[in-house]
């Protein structure tokens, strides 16, 4: 699959690759930011309890994909330029790989300026915020979670799952 980089044991899925794969399923449009989707989603946050892959916008939460919905964008309305700039610095100055806007909305124009400055993509979706969070989480977890293929038989014994592994035919 294009868009996955493997460097020094880490797996990274670019924002552009996610966009291209899920464009139709999630009703995505690329609104602003790095056209090559140069930032990426990393496997590391699958293993780090302090970080999340996807989260509804929370200024205190570290995650790779912030999802902003109607209520989140409403908080940005009516704020003066200084307060808006401070809030956007907090949003964009993180380790995120992309910012997603849900509910078929477009963010305020000031977001485009910050997207260019921080080289962070903004991707809009037709889905509501909770649906988008769930869909992105499922997709990213499946793409980035570590997987091991084991040949064997998995069965239930006394209500406990047991894996019997070994060479074929034993």
């Amino acid at each position: 699959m294009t868009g996955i980089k493997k460097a020094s044991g880490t797996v990274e899925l670019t924002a552009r690759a996610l966009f291209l794969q899920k464009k139709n399923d999630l009703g995505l449009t690329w609104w602003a930011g790095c056209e090559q989707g140069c930032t990426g989603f990393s496997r590391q946050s699958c293993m780090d309890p302090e970080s999340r892959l996807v989260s509804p916008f929370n200024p205190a939460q570290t995650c790779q994909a912030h999802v902003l919905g109607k209520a989140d964008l409403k908080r940005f309305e009516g704020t003066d330029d200084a307060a808006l700039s401070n809030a956007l610095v907090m949003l964009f100055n993180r380790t995120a790989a992309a910012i997603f806007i849900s509910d078929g909305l477009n963010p305020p124009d000031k977001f485009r300026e910050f997207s260019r400055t921080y080289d962070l993509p903004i991707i809009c979706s037709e889905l509501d915020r909770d649906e988008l969070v769930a869909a992105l989480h499922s997709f990213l977890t499946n793409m980035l979670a570590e997987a091991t293929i084991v040949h064997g038989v998995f069965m239930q014994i006394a209500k406990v799952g047991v894996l019997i592994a070994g060479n074929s035919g034993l």
Side-chain angles (χ1 to χ4, degrees), residues 44-59:
Q44 187 165 352
S45 65
C46 291
M47 300 176 281
D48 182 1
E50 298 297 316
S51 183
R52 298 180 66 170
L53 276 173
V54 182
S55 174
F57 177 62
N58 177 350

Side-chain angles (χ1 to χ4, degrees), residues 31 81 84-85 88 92 107-115:
W31 193 75
D81 279 347
L84 179 59
S85 291
L88 291 178
F92 283 85
D109 287 333
K110 190 104 173 144
F111 275 58
R112 193 177 307 273
E113 173 188 326
F114 276 80
S115 176

Side-chain angles (χ1 to χ4, degrees), residues 31-74:
W31 193 75
C34 178
E35 284 301 316
Q36 299 305 312
C38 46
T39 52
F41 298 91
S42 164
R43 174 180 283 170
Q44 187 165 352
S45 65
C46 291
M47 300 176 281
D48 182 1
E50 298 297 316
S51 183
R52 298 180 66 170
L53 276 173
V54 182
S55 174
F57 177 62
N58 177 350
Q61 180 70 51
T62 300
C63 72
Q64 293 189 41
H66 291 286
V67 179
L68 285 79
K70 289 178 189 173
D72 303 310
L73 291 179
K74 198 159 194 73

Side-chain angles (χ1 to χ4, degrees), residues 4-121:
I4 290 191
K5 301 178 205 170
K6 294 183 182 181
S8 64
T10 63
V11 174
E12 191 174 274
L13 172 73
T14 64
R16 176 57 82 188
L18 179 147
F19 172 77
L20 293 173
Q21 281 197 1
K22 300 307 282 179
K23 181 179 180 179
N24 295 331
D25 296 342
L26 304 180
L28 301 178
T29 55
W30 193 274
W31 193 75
C34 178
E35 284 301 316
Q36 299 305 312
C38 46
T39 52
F41 298 91
S42 164
R43 174 180 283 170
Q44 187 165 352
S45 65
C46 291
M47 300 176 281
D48 182 1
E50 298 297 316
S51 183
R52 298 180 66 170
L53 276 173
V54 182
S55 174
F57 177 62
N58 177 350
Q61 180 70 51
T62 300
C63 72
Q64 293 189 41
H66 291 286
V67 179
L68 285 79
K70 289 178 189 173
D72 303 310
L73 291 179
K74 198 159 194 73
R75 277 188 246 149
F76 290 111
E77 288 178 12
T79 58
D80 61 44
D81 279 347
L84 179 59
S85 291
N86 287 338
L88 291 178
V89 165
M90 286 180 57
L91 174 62
F92 283 85
N93 194 18
R94 296 189 174 260
T95 58
I99 294 174
F100 290 85
I101 308 295
S102 64
D103 303 301
L105 301 172
N106 287 324
D109 287 333
K110 190 104 173 144
F111 275 58
R112 193 177 307 273
E113 173 188 326
F114 276 80
S115 176
R116 284 188 201 115
T117 301
Y118 289 91
D119 207 20
L120 188 64

